[in-house]
Amino acid sequence: MNLRLLQLADSAFPSGAYAFSDGLETLTVRGEVRTAAELKAFLCGQLAHGWGQQDAPACALAWTGMLRAAPDELDALLDDLKLVRGPREASLRVGANLRRAALSLWPEELSTLPPTRHHAPTFGAVAAALGASQADTVTAYVSSWLLGRVAAATKLMKLGGLDAQRAARQAGDAAQDCIQHALRATVSDLGGFSPLLDIAAAEQPGLDSRLFQT
Amino acid sequence: MRQTGAMSPETPSHLPLKIGVGGPVGSGKTALLEVLCRELRGRYDLAVITNDIYTFEDQRILTAAAALSPERIRGVQTGGCPHTAIREDTSLNQEAVEALQSEFPGLDLIFIESGGDNLASSFSPELVDAWLFVLDVSGGEKVPRKGGPGVRYSDLLIINKIDLAPNVGADLRVMDADARAQRSVLHQSGRSEPGPEQIRPFIFTDLKRGLGVRDVIAWIEHDLLFKPVAPPRIGLV
Amino acid sequence: MIPAAAASLGQQTRTGALHLTFERRAAQTVLVGEFQKAPLMIVRPFALPCGTLSVFVVNPTGGLLGGDHNDIQISVGPGARVLVLTQSATRVQPSASGTAATQTVQLAVAAGGRLEYYPERVLPFAGSRLVQSLRASLEPGAELGLTETLASGRVLSGERLKFAEYRSRTEVWCGPQRLYLDQWRLSPSPQTRAPGIWGELDYAASGVFVGPGTIQDWPAELGRLASGLTASGAVWLRAAAARGPLLDADLGAARQALRQQLFGASPLQIRR
């Protein structure tokens, strides 16, 4: 495993990702995700049909550089496919922060980094430039998403740290399937089916009080 | 204390001074900002970033108090991580700083208020040029003795609500002595009696009645902006 | 898009075609060109009280079979107002070989024209596959309303999430700029019932609207329907419900609100 990839994917890497829940906050406030089992189901659902069908393949495709998808094409696709403004802007903001932090840490390695805007293509392109393999890159990206969600869940739900980690572990098979799918995906595969999270994410700005930006 | 990096053509010629405002919930951060904005807005181009934990409450209070116009007050949600947003990963606050700078290119001062937190919080030097930490007397006279980065290393320590001292059995002289000890610059190298110039400034205030506000402003103007004004008075005077 | 493999197997597959051209003549919208190839056909167009010309698409064979292909092309000229509906739900049935049914829809709307396409829901039967793509090309100043509705299966018969694949790609372009892109891809799995995906619901809808007006009152029903702006300024719509009539009611109200604000249009009065 590439040491720099582990650093890039770590939750302490200053990308601002910790402040976004991408709709999970609304689902918890509405009582649709209340227990560790429901959290696990939410995670598996997103890996199989939602986030995992869009951002994970975008990361994998960006890793290939111009080979299978131009980064600006991926960004343009994500601009459109992320219908809901909150998650769309979160992806752009985290992407910009990740890019800025990575460029500041590895200026030489990233001197020819292609322009990227969204989080997934930025992560894929940076990891590739840092010498990580494609499989490792996507694995690290999926893992950081998964652990970021369960970390958010401990603040949103009555859920201990161990139970949160257990939910992530139980989503392991779904995560592996998601990674394998992402590694095989083509640009035209980006999509998914997540109507209830789309609706929840659109409702997030209307919550009376909230911890997360989205 | 101001950023002194080499000026590249892209660097705006006028960079605002960024002051962090930290401290536990209820110690008076928002009250301090309210009074500072009112006192300083005539002389300086000001903006505020609030980091509420759960709501836009502080943003609302400051707007309602008409301390500043609403577009000069930005709220940042921190995903329940108020520490992180001002220390390890300041990217969201940096975004807010950049947004304010581009909207108000003439800004002199930006206050960045941390979400109410505990004694362990501190500001990243990447985010602010200086930071102050607000404690209040009602937590008891022992609080300065407990130390922590805010009490020890903040550029200014404010001990607020001194009017409550008799009610909670706090002796301000004890707090003064403990704060001096904690904020002695050479404290850790073991010098027993540091001179007054080696104490990081701390000020007792009663913000409700405006006591000590003059010294907080003196700290900003004298210590940070290098204006030809009298320095702040430190501790019990 | 006609699956060559299916044809070579000598399978009984059908290619339906429907090409319609509408124009505005003497202050009325008229159907000026048509090409219909069974099993796709339309019943005679009629004008609604608001002046919009309404057309029902009919498929008398009861739906799409694996291997079937539908080709729909609709062109709307300047100033014409057209509403295209389907007479009944689109039933998608599987083929023995597992081939997908396919449908391509191409829409073109000229400046000042308006096209609305609100087909009834798709009912994917057990084992079925549907791959459809819709592309709308708009001139600047064209108006568009689209909705798409999916059921989890033959819900009333208790058949849910038994289909093999549903894939639906919708793109809206204005000149060289893409205003909207959405791709629903669903191969049901145990995770489809997860919170955030479909939960315990069985109906879902998406939609896109493009028009000159601005939205003040965004259609929203807590947990059931949301709307907003895409990155390029089109209006998107998402809805989900446990029962079909509830979804239809939510969707109908949202459509009416959006038509009124975006097009300045009065409510549709449709006679079925």
Side-chain angles (χ1 to χ4, degrees), chain B residues 137 144 156-162 171-180 202-207 210-213 215-216 233-237:
Chain B
V137 165
L156 174 67
L157 174 67
I158 291 178
I159 301 173
N160 187 27
K161 304 188 190 175
I162 51 173
D171 186 338
L172 294 182
R173 284 168 306 183
V174 172
M175 297 182 92
D176 181 86
D178 287 342
R180 270 174 209 281
F202 66 99
I203 297 170
F204 285 100
T205 63
D206 172 1
L207 291 171
L211 279 177
V213 171
D215 291 304
V216 178
R233 295 166 301 171
I234 303 304
L236 283 181
V237 285

PDB file of all heavy atoms in Angstrom, chain B residues 137 144 156-162 171-180 202-207 210-213 215-216 233-237:
ATOM      1  N   VAL B 137     -15.973  33.760  34.633  1.00  0.00           N
ATOM      2  CA  VAL B 137     -15.742  33.537  36.057  1.00  0.00           C
ATOM      3  C   VAL B 137     -16.675  32.481  36.627  1.00  0.00           C
ATOM      4  O   VAL B 137     -16.319  31.754  37.551  1.00  0.00           O
ATOM      5  CB  VAL B 137     -15.928  34.895  36.783  1.00  0.00           C
ATOM      6  CG1 VAL B 137     -16.079  34.703  38.273  1.00  0.00           C
ATOM      7  CG2 VAL B 137     -14.755  35.807  36.462  1.00  0.00           C
ATOM      8  N   PRO B 144      -8.485  29.009  35.236  1.00  0.00           N
ATOM      9  CA  PRO B 144      -7.182  29.360  34.660  1.00  0.00           C
ATOM     10  C   PRO B 144      -6.077  28.392  35.093  1.00  0.00           C
ATOM     11  O   PRO B 144      -5.162  28.106  34.332  1.00  0.00           O
ATOM     12  CB  PRO B 144      -6.928  30.763  35.214  1.00  0.00           C
ATOM     13  CG  PRO B 144      -8.279  31.320  35.493  1.00  0.00           C
ATOM     14  CD  PRO B 144      -9.097  30.139  35.948  1.00  0.00           C
ATOM     15  N   LEU B 156      -4.536  36.375  23.419  1.00  0.00           N
ATOM     16  CA  LEU B 156      -5.189  37.178  24.459  1.00  0.00           C
ATOM     17  C   LEU B 156      -6.164  36.265  25.196  1.00  0.00           C
ATOM     18  O   LEU B 156      -6.953  35.564  24.573  1.00  0.00           O
ATOM     19  CB  LEU B 156      -5.958  38.360  23.843  1.00  0.00           C
ATOM     20  CG  LEU B 156      -6.797  39.179  24.837  1.00  0.00           C
ATOM     21  CD1 LEU B 156      -5.902  39.922  25.820  1.00  0.00           C
ATOM     22  CD2 LEU B 156      -7.716  40.158  24.115  1.00  0.00           C
ATOM     23  N   LEU B 157      -6.090  36.308  26.535  1.00  0.00           N
ATOM     24  CA  LEU B 157      -7.067  35.578  27.348  1.00  0.00           C
ATOM     25  C   LEU B 157      -8.011  36.602  27.963  1.00  0.00           C
ATOM     26  O   LEU B 157      -7.563  37.601  28.541  1.00  0.00           O
ATOM     27  CB  LEU B 157      -6.354  34.791  28.452  1.00  0.00           C
ATOM     28  CG  LEU B 157      -7.272  34.096  29.473  1.00  0.00           C
ATOM     29  CD1 LEU B 157      -8.061  32.963  28.821  1.00  0.00           C
ATOM     30  CD2 LEU B 157      -6.465  33.566  30.649  1.00  0.00           C
ATOM     31  N   ILE B 158      -9.303  36.352  27.782  1.00  0.00           N
ATOM     32  CA  ILE B 158     -10.295  37.236  28.387  1.00  0.00           C
ATOM     33  C   ILE B 158     -11.031  36.454  29.463  1.00  0.00           C
ATOM     34  O   ILE B 158     -11.519  35.342  29.205  1.00  0.00           O
ATOM     35  CB  ILE B 158     -11.282  37.753  27.315  1.00  0.00           C
ATOM     36  CG1 ILE B 158     -10.537  38.705  26.367  1.00  0.00           C
ATOM     37  CG2 ILE B 158     -12.475  38.444  27.954  1.00  0.00           C
ATOM     38  CD1 ILE B 158     -11.398  39.248  25.237  1.00  0.00           C
ATOM     39  N   ILE B 159     -11.066  37.013  30.668  1.00  0.00           N
ATOM     40  CA  ILE B 159     -11.831  36.385  31.749  1.00  0.00           C
ATOM     41  C   ILE B 159     -13.034  37.280  31.976  1.00  0.00           C
ATOM     42  O   ILE B 159     -12.915  38.394  32.496  1.00  0.00           O
ATOM     43  CB  ILE B 159     -10.972  36.220  33.016  1.00  0.00           C
ATOM     44  CG1 ILE B 159      -9.748  35.350  32.682  1.00  0.00           C
ATOM     45  CG2 ILE B 159     -11.796  35.576  34.130  1.00  0.00           C
ATOM     46  CD1 ILE B 159      -8.724  35.251  33.800  1.00  0.00           C
ATOM     47  N   ASN B 160     -14.187  36.776  31.540  1.00  0.00           N
ATOM     48  CA  ASN B 160     -15.397  37.595  31.450  1.00  0.00           C
ATOM     49  C   ASN B 160     -16.315  37.351  32.649  1.00  0.00           C
ATOM     50  O   ASN B 160     -16.125  36.409  33.407  1.00  0.00           O
ATOM     51  CB  ASN B 160     -16.107  37.251  30.123  1.00  0.00           C
ATOM     52  CG  ASN B 160     -17.284  38.165  29.836  1.00  0.00           C
ATOM     53  OD1 ASN B 160     -17.303  39.307  30.297  1.00  0.00           O
ATOM     54  ND2 ASN B 160     -18.260  37.666  29.088  1.00  0.00           N
ATOM     55  N   LYS B 161     -17.307  38.181  32.747  1.00  0.00           N
ATOM     56  CA  LYS B 161     -18.350  38.091  33.788  1.00  0.00           C
ATOM     57  C   LYS B 161     -17.761  38.240  35.184  1.00  0.00           C
ATOM     58  O   LYS B 161     -18.125  37.495  36.108  1.00  0.00           O
ATOM     59  CB  LYS B 161     -19.139  36.768  33.678  1.00  0.00           C
ATOM     60  CG  LYS B 161     -19.774  36.559  32.295  1.00  0.00           C
ATOM     61  CD  LYS B 161     -20.698  35.356  32.269  1.00  0.00           C
ATOM     62  CE  LYS B 161     -21.106  35.034  30.840  1.00  0.00           C
ATOM     63  NZ  LYS B 161     -21.901  33.804  30.715  1.00  0.00           N
ATOM     64  N   ILE B 162     -16.844  39.194  35.362  1.00  0.00           N
ATOM     65  CA  ILE B 162     -16.228  39.354  36.687  1.00  0.00           C
ATOM     66  C   ILE B 162     -17.263  39.813  37.696  1.00  0.00           C
ATOM     67  O   ILE B 162     -17.070  39.631  38.898  1.00  0.00           O
ATOM     68  CB  ILE B 162     -15.046  40.359  36.659  1.00  0.00           C
ATOM     69  CG1 ILE B 162     -15.460  41.673  35.997  1.00  0.00           C
ATOM     70  CG2 ILE B 162     -13.848  39.758  35.940  1.00  0.00           C
ATOM     71  CD1 ILE B 162     -14.381  42.744  36.091  1.00  0.00           C
ATOM     72  N   ASP B 171     -12.322  34.164  43.565  1.00  0.00           N
ATOM     73  CA  ASP B 171     -11.457  35.269  43.956  1.00  0.00           C
ATOM     74  C   ASP B 171     -10.659  35.693  42.723  1.00  0.00           C
ATOM     75  O   ASP B 171      -9.840  34.928  42.214  1.00  0.00           O
ATOM     76  CB  ASP B 171     -10.528  34.794  45.082  1.00  0.00           C
ATOM     77  CG  ASP B 171      -9.698  35.956  45.635  1.00  0.00           C
ATOM     78  OD1 ASP B 171      -9.533  36.969  44.912  1.00  0.00           O
ATOM     79  OD2 ASP B 171      -9.227  35.822  46.779  1.00  0.00           O
ATOM     80  N   LEU B 172     -10.911  36.909  42.289  1.00  0.00           N
ATOM     81  CA  LEU B 172     -10.257  37.365  41.067  1.00  0.00           C
ATOM     82  C   LEU B 172      -8.741  37.439  41.238  1.00  0.00           C
ATOM     83  O   LEU B 172      -7.995  37.280  40.271  1.00  0.00           O
ATOM     84  CB  LEU B 172     -10.804  38.723  40.635  1.00  0.00           C
ATOM     85  CG  LEU B 172     -12.278  38.742  40.195  1.00  0.00           C
ATOM     86  CD1 LEU B 172     -12.680  40.138  39.753  1.00  0.00           C
ATOM     87  CD2 LEU B 172     -12.524  37.745  39.061  1.00  0.00           C
ATOM     88  N   ARG B 173      -8.304  37.659  42.462  1.00  0.00           N
ATOM     89  CA  ARG B 173      -6.849  37.742  42.683  1.00  0.00           C
ATOM     90  C   ARG B 173      -6.199  36.387  42.435  1.00  0.00           C
ATOM     91  O   ARG B 173      -5.103  36.289  41.896  1.00  0.00           O
ATOM     92  CB  ARG B 173      -6.546  38.224  44.111  1.00  0.00           C
ATOM     93  CG  ARG B 173      -6.779  39.734  44.284  1.00  0.00           C
ATOM     94  CD  ARG B 173      -6.764  40.111  45.735  1.00  0.00           C
ATOM     95  NE  ARG B 173      -7.729  39.297  46.493  1.00  0.00           N
ATOM     96  CZ  ARG B 173      -7.967  39.449  47.792  1.00  0.00           C
ATOM     97  NH1 ARG B 173      -7.282  40.322  48.504  1.00  0.00           N
ATOM     98  NH2 ARG B 173      -8.866  38.705  48.406  1.00  0.00           N
ATOM     99  N   VAL B 174      -6.927  35.324  42.813  1.00  0.00           N
ATOM    100  CA  VAL B 174      -6.409  33.971  42.548  1.00  0.00           C
ATOM    101  C   VAL B 174      -6.364  33.730  41.042  1.00  0.00           C
ATOM    102  O   VAL B 174      -5.376  33.212  40.501  1.00  0.00           O
ATOM    103  CB  VAL B 174      -7.305  32.913  43.236  1.00  0.00           C
ATOM    104  CG1 VAL B 174      -6.904  31.510  42.805  1.00  0.00           C
ATOM    105  CG2 VAL B 174      -7.225  33.064  44.746  1.00  0.00           C
ATOM    106  N   MET B 175      -7.423  34.125  40.377  1.00  0.00           N
ATOM    107  CA  MET B 175      -7.472  33.910  38.926  1.00  0.00           C
ATOM    108  C   MET B 175      -6.370  34.715  38.234  1.00  0.00           C
ATOM    109  O   MET B 175      -5.749  34.261  37.278  1.00  0.00           O
ATOM    110  CB  MET B 175      -8.847  34.295  38.378  1.00  0.00           C
ATOM    111  CG  MET B 175      -9.975  33.432  38.939  1.00  0.00           C
ATOM    112  SD  MET B 175     -11.601  33.834  38.275  1.00  0.00           S
ATOM    113  CE  MET B 175     -11.677  32.708  36.884  1.00  0.00           C
ATOM    114  N   ASP B 176      -6.136  35.915  38.718  1.00  0.00           N
ATOM    115  CA  ASP B 176      -5.091  36.766  38.155  1.00  0.00           C
ATOM    116  C   ASP B 176      -3.728  36.089  38.313  1.00  0.00           C
ATOM    117  O   ASP B 176      -2.950  35.979  37.357  1.00  0.00           O
ATOM    118  CB  ASP B 176      -5.119  38.124  38.859  1.00  0.00           C
ATOM    119  CG  ASP B 176      -4.079  39.077  38.312  1.00  0.00           C
ATOM    120  OD1 ASP B 176      -4.365  39.762  37.304  1.00  0.00           O
ATOM    121  OD2 ASP B 176      -2.957  39.113  38.859  1.00  0.00           O
ATOM    122  N   ALA B 177      -3.483  35.593  39.522  1.00  0.00           N
ATOM    123  CA  ALA B 177      -2.177  34.961  39.784  1.00  0.00           C
ATOM    124  C   ALA B 177      -2.019  33.698  38.932  1.00  0.00           C
ATOM    125  O   ALA B 177      -0.954  33.445  38.335  1.00  0.00           O
ATOM    126  CB  ALA B 177      -2.061  34.615  41.263  1.00  0.00           C
ATOM    127  N   ASP B 178      -3.086  32.906  38.846  1.00  0.00           N
ATOM    128  CA  ASP B 178      -3.004  31.663  38.065  1.00  0.00           C
ATOM    129  C   ASP B 178      -2.821  31.977  36.579  1.00  0.00           C
ATOM    130  O   ASP B 178      -2.039  31.314  35.882  1.00  0.00           O
ATOM    131  CB  ASP B 178      -4.277  30.833  38.259  1.00  0.00           C
ATOM    132  CG  ASP B 178      -4.318  30.187  39.639  1.00  0.00           C
ATOM    133  OD1 ASP B 178      -3.245  30.107  40.275  1.00  0.00           O
ATOM    134  OD2 ASP B 178      -5.412  29.791  40.080  1.00  0.00           O
ATOM    135  N   ALA B 179      -3.548  32.982  36.089  1.00  0.00           N
ATOM    136  CA  ALA B 179      -3.426  33.335  34.672  1.00  0.00           C
ATOM    137  C   ALA B 179      -2.014  33.818  34.387  1.00  0.00           C
ATOM    138  O   ALA B 179      -1.413  33.449  33.376  1.00  0.00           O
ATOM    139  CB  ALA B 179      -4.452  34.403  34.308  1.00  0.00           C
ATOM    140  N   ARG B 180      -1.475  34.621  35.292  1.00  0.00           N
ATOM    141  CA  ARG B 180      -0.101  35.089  35.089  1.00  0.00           C
ATOM    142  C   ARG B 180       0.863  33.903  34.997  1.00  0.00           C
ATOM    143  O   ARG B 180       1.744  33.856  34.141  1.00  0.00           O
ATOM    144  CB  ARG B 180       0.348  35.978  36.270  1.00  0.00           C
ATOM    145  CG  ARG B 180       0.035  37.421  36.063  1.00  0.00           C
ATOM    146  CD  ARG B 180       0.344  38.259  37.301  1.00  0.00           C
ATOM    147  NE  ARG B 180      -0.560  39.395  37.309  1.00  0.00           N
ATOM    148  CZ  ARG B 180      -0.390  40.486  36.554  1.00  0.00           C
ATOM    149  NH1 ARG B 180       0.678  40.601  35.767  1.00  0.00           N
ATOM    150  NH2 ARG B 180      -1.274  41.443  36.568  1.00  0.00           N
ATOM    151  N   PHE B 202      -3.708  39.141  29.289  1.00  0.00           N
ATOM    152  CA  PHE B 202      -5.043  38.672  29.689  1.00  0.00           C
ATOM    153  C   PHE B 202      -5.787  39.830  30.329  1.00  0.00           C
ATOM    154  O   PHE B 202      -5.189  40.721  30.929  1.00  0.00           O
ATOM    155  CB  PHE B 202      -4.965  37.444  30.607  1.00  0.00           C
ATOM    156  CG  PHE B 202      -4.358  37.697  31.948  1.00  0.00           C
ATOM    157  CD1 PHE B 202      -5.157  37.905  33.072  1.00  0.00           C
ATOM    158  CD2 PHE B 202      -2.978  37.721  32.099  1.00  0.00           C
ATOM    159  CE1 PHE B 202      -4.589  38.125  34.319  1.00  0.00           C
ATOM    160  CE2 PHE B 202      -2.411  37.953  33.350  1.00  0.00           C
ATOM    161  CZ  PHE B 202      -3.216  38.154  34.464  1.00  0.00           C
ATOM    162  N   ILE B 203      -7.081  39.829  30.126  1.00  0.00           N
ATOM    163  CA  ILE B 203      -7.885  40.983  30.520  1.00  0.00           C
ATOM    164  C   ILE B 203      -9.134  40.483  31.235  1.00  0.00           C
ATOM    165  O   ILE B 203      -9.778  39.525  30.798  1.00  0.00           O
ATOM    166  CB  ILE B 203      -8.298  41.806  29.270  1.00  0.00           C
ATOM    167  CG1 ILE B 203      -7.051  42.374  28.579  1.00  0.00           C
ATOM    168  CG2 ILE B 203      -9.278  42.908  29.623  1.00  0.00           C
ATOM    169  CD1 ILE B 203      -7.337  42.998  27.223  1.00  0.00           C
ATOM    170  N   PHE B 204      -9.475  41.116  32.350  1.00  0.00           N
ATOM    171  CA  PHE B 204     -10.744  40.834  33.017  1.00  0.00           C
ATOM    172  C   PHE B 204     -11.821  41.733  32.421  1.00  0.00           C
ATOM    173  O   PHE B 204     -11.588  42.936  32.241  1.00  0.00           O
ATOM    174  CB  PHE B 204     -10.620  41.122  34.517  1.00  0.00           C
ATOM    175  CG  PHE B 204      -9.840  40.063  35.263  1.00  0.00           C
ATOM    176  CD1 PHE B 204      -8.501  40.254  35.590  1.00  0.00           C
ATOM    177  CD2 PHE B 204     -10.447  38.871  35.622  1.00  0.00           C
ATOM    178  CE1 PHE B 204      -7.782  39.280  36.267  1.00  0.00           C
ATOM    179  CE2 PHE B 204      -9.729  37.891  36.314  1.00  0.00           C
ATOM    180  CZ  PHE B 204      -8.401  38.096  36.622  1.00  0.00           C
ATOM    181  N   THR B 205     -12.951  41.168  32.111  1.00  0.00           N
ATOM    182  CA  THR B 205     -14.026  41.982  31.525  1.00  0.00           C
ATOM    183  C   THR B 205     -15.375  41.692  32.181  1.00  0.00           C
ATOM    184  O   THR B 205     -15.596  40.614  32.766  1.00  0.00           O
ATOM    185  CB  THR B 205     -14.213  41.701  30.010  1.00  0.00           C
ATOM    186  OG1 THR B 205     -14.619  40.342  29.855  1.00  0.00           O
ATOM    187  CG2 THR B 205     -12.953  41.955  29.215  1.00  0.00           C
ATOM    188  N   ASP B 206     -16.245  42.658  32.041  1.00  0.00           N
ATOM    189  CA  ASP B 206     -17.672  42.457  32.304  1.00  0.00           C
ATOM    190  C   ASP B 206     -18.357  43.049  31.074  1.00  0.00           C
ATOM    191  O   ASP B 206     -18.647  44.244  31.017  1.00  0.00           O
ATOM    192  CB  ASP B 206     -18.080  43.193  33.587  1.00  0.00           C
ATOM    193  CG  ASP B 206     -19.584  43.178  33.800  1.00  0.00           C
ATOM    194  OD1 ASP B 206     -20.309  42.582  32.971  1.00  0.00           O
ATOM    195  OD2 ASP B 206     -20.042  43.777  34.789  1.00  0.00           O
ATOM    196  N   LEU B 207     -18.525  42.203  30.078  1.00  0.00           N
ATOM    197  CA  LEU B 207     -18.945  42.706  28.768  1.00  0.00           C
ATOM    198  C   LEU B 207     -20.326  43.336  28.816  1.00  0.00           C
ATOM    199  O   LEU B 207     -20.636  44.231  28.047  1.00  0.00           O
ATOM    200  CB  LEU B 207     -18.904  41.573  27.729  1.00  0.00           C
ATOM    201  CG  LEU B 207     -17.496  41.097  27.368  1.00  0.00           C
ATOM    202  CD1 LEU B 207     -17.567  39.837  26.506  1.00  0.00           C
ATOM    203  CD2 LEU B 207     -16.707  42.180  26.637  1.00  0.00           C
ATOM    204  N   GLY B 210     -19.588  46.651  29.758  1.00  0.00           N
ATOM    205  CA  GLY B 210     -18.550  47.303  28.959  1.00  0.00           C
ATOM    206  C   GLY B 210     -17.196  47.400  29.648  1.00  0.00           C
ATOM    207  O   GLY B 210     -16.263  48.001  29.112  1.00  0.00           O
ATOM    208  N   LEU B 211     -17.073  46.782  30.836  1.00  0.00           N
ATOM    209  CA  LEU B 211     -15.789  46.847  31.544  1.00  0.00           C
ATOM    210  C   LEU B 211     -14.727  46.036  30.795  1.00  0.00           C
ATOM    211  O   LEU B 211     -14.958  44.883  30.450  1.00  0.00           O
ATOM    212  CB  LEU B 211     -15.924  46.263  32.959  1.00  0.00           C
ATOM    213  CG  LEU B 211     -16.509  47.171  34.032  1.00  0.00           C
ATOM    214  CD1 LEU B 211     -16.642  46.398  35.333  1.00  0.00           C
ATOM    215  CD2 LEU B 211     -15.602  48.394  34.214  1.00  0.00           C
ATOM    216  N   GLY B 212     -13.579  46.661  30.546  1.00  0.00           N
ATOM    217  CA  GLY B 212     -12.464  45.948  29.917  1.00  0.00           C
ATOM    218  C   GLY B 212     -12.482  45.977  28.405  1.00  0.00           C
ATOM    219  O   GLY B 212     -11.507  45.598  27.762  1.00  0.00           O
ATOM    220  N   VAL B 213     -13.589  46.424  27.819  1.00  0.00           N
ATOM    221  CA  VAL B 213     -13.683  46.439  26.358  1.00  0.00           C
ATOM    222  C   VAL B 213     -12.589  47.322  25.757  1.00  0.00           C
ATOM    223  O   VAL B 213     -11.969  46.974  24.748  1.00  0.00           O
ATOM    224  CB  VAL B 213     -15.084  46.936  25.913  1.00  0.00           C
ATOM    225  CG1 VAL B 213     -15.129  47.158  24.410  1.00  0.00           C
ATOM    226  CG2 VAL B 213     -16.148  45.930  26.340  1.00  0.00           C
ATOM    227  N   ASP B 215      -9.669  47.769  26.775  1.00  0.00           N
ATOM    228  CA  ASP B 215      -8.378  47.070  26.732  1.00  0.00           C
ATOM    229  C   ASP B 215      -8.330  46.020  25.619  1.00  0.00           C
ATOM    230  O   ASP B 215      -7.283  45.791  25.026  1.00  0.00           O
ATOM    231  CB  ASP B 215      -8.090  46.427  28.085  1.00  0.00           C
ATOM    232  CG  ASP B 215      -7.816  47.484  29.139  1.00  0.00           C
ATOM    233  OD1 ASP B 215      -6.898  48.300  28.918  1.00  0.00           O
ATOM    234  OD2 ASP B 215      -8.535  47.509  30.162  1.00  0.00           O
ATOM    235  N   VAL B 216      -9.475  45.393  25.368  1.00  0.00           N
ATOM    236  CA  VAL B 216      -9.508  44.420  24.265  1.00  0.00           C
ATOM    237  C   VAL B 216      -9.241  45.146  22.953  1.00  0.00           C
ATOM    238  O   VAL B 216      -8.464  44.685  22.104  1.00  0.00           O
ATOM    239  CB  VAL B 216     -10.869  43.683  24.214  1.00  0.00           C
ATOM    240  CG1 VAL B 216     -10.894  42.713  23.040  1.00  0.00           C
ATOM    241  CG2 VAL B 216     -11.124  42.938  25.519  1.00  0.00           C
ATOM    242  N   ARG B 233      -4.183  47.170  29.347  1.00  0.00           N
ATOM    243  CA  ARG B 233      -3.770  46.900  30.726  1.00  0.00           C
ATOM    244  C   ARG B 233      -3.984  45.418  30.997  1.00  0.00           C
ATOM    245  O   ARG B 233      -5.010  44.860  30.638  1.00  0.00           O
ATOM    246  CB  ARG B 233      -4.591  47.757  31.690  1.00  0.00           C
ATOM    247  CG  ARG B 233      -4.320  49.252  31.504  1.00  0.00           C
ATOM    248  CD  ARG B 233      -5.348  50.080  32.206  1.00  0.00           C
ATOM    249  NE  ARG B 233      -6.694  49.786  31.699  1.00  0.00           N
ATOM    250  CZ  ARG B 233      -7.800  50.244  32.272  1.00  0.00           C
ATOM    251  NH1 ARG B 233      -7.743  50.977  33.367  1.00  0.00           N
ATOM    252  NH2 ARG B 233      -8.976  49.957  31.755  1.00  0.00           N
ATOM    253  N   ILE B 234      -3.007  44.816  31.621  1.00  0.00           N
ATOM    254  CA  ILE B 234      -3.029  43.363  31.808  1.00  0.00           C
ATOM    255  C   ILE B 234      -3.501  43.006  33.211  1.00  0.00           C
ATOM    256  O   ILE B 234      -3.045  43.592  34.194  1.00  0.00           O
ATOM    257  CB  ILE B 234      -1.609  42.782  31.593  1.00  0.00           C
ATOM    258  CG1 ILE B 234      -1.080  43.146  30.218  1.00  0.00           C
ATOM    259  CG2 ILE B 234      -1.607  41.272  31.790  1.00  0.00           C
ATOM    260  CD1 ILE B 234      -1.968  42.729  29.077  1.00  0.00           C
ATOM    261  N   GLY B 235      -4.403  42.044  33.300  1.00  0.00           N
ATOM    262  CA  GLY B 235      -4.827  41.488  34.572  1.00  0.00           C
ATOM    263  C   GLY B 235      -5.548  42.504  35.447  1.00  0.00           C
ATOM    264  O   GLY B 235      -6.161  43.448  34.952  1.00  0.00           O
ATOM    265  N   LEU B 236      -5.506  42.282  36.740  1.00  0.00           N
ATOM    266  CA  LEU B 236      -6.186  43.178  37.678  1.00  0.00           C
ATOM    267  C   LEU B 236      -5.453  44.500  37.694  1.00  0.00           C
ATOM    268  O   LEU B 236      -4.243  44.537  37.866  1.00  0.00           O
ATOM    269  CB  LEU B 236      -6.207  42.571  39.088  1.00  0.00           C
ATOM    270  CG  LEU B 236      -7.218  41.462  39.343  1.00  0.00           C
ATOM    271  CD1 LEU B 236      -7.123  41.004  40.792  1.00  0.00           C
ATOM    272  CD2 LEU B 236      -8.635  41.912  39.021  1.00  0.00           C
ATOM    273  N   VAL B 237      -6.192  45.582  37.521  1.00  0.00           N
ATOM    274  CA  VAL B 237      -5.530  46.887  37.509  1.00  0.00           C
ATOM    275  C   VAL B 237      -6.168  47.805  38.537  1.00  0.00           C
ATOM    276  O   VAL B 237      -7.247  47.551  39.007  1.00  0.00           O
ATOM    277  CB  VAL B 237      -5.601  47.543  36.106  1.00  0.00           C
ATOM    278  CG1 VAL B 237      -4.625  46.844  35.178  1.00  0.00           C
ATOM    279  CG2 VAL B 237      -7.009  47.483  35.565  1.00  0.00           C
TER     280      VAL B 237
END
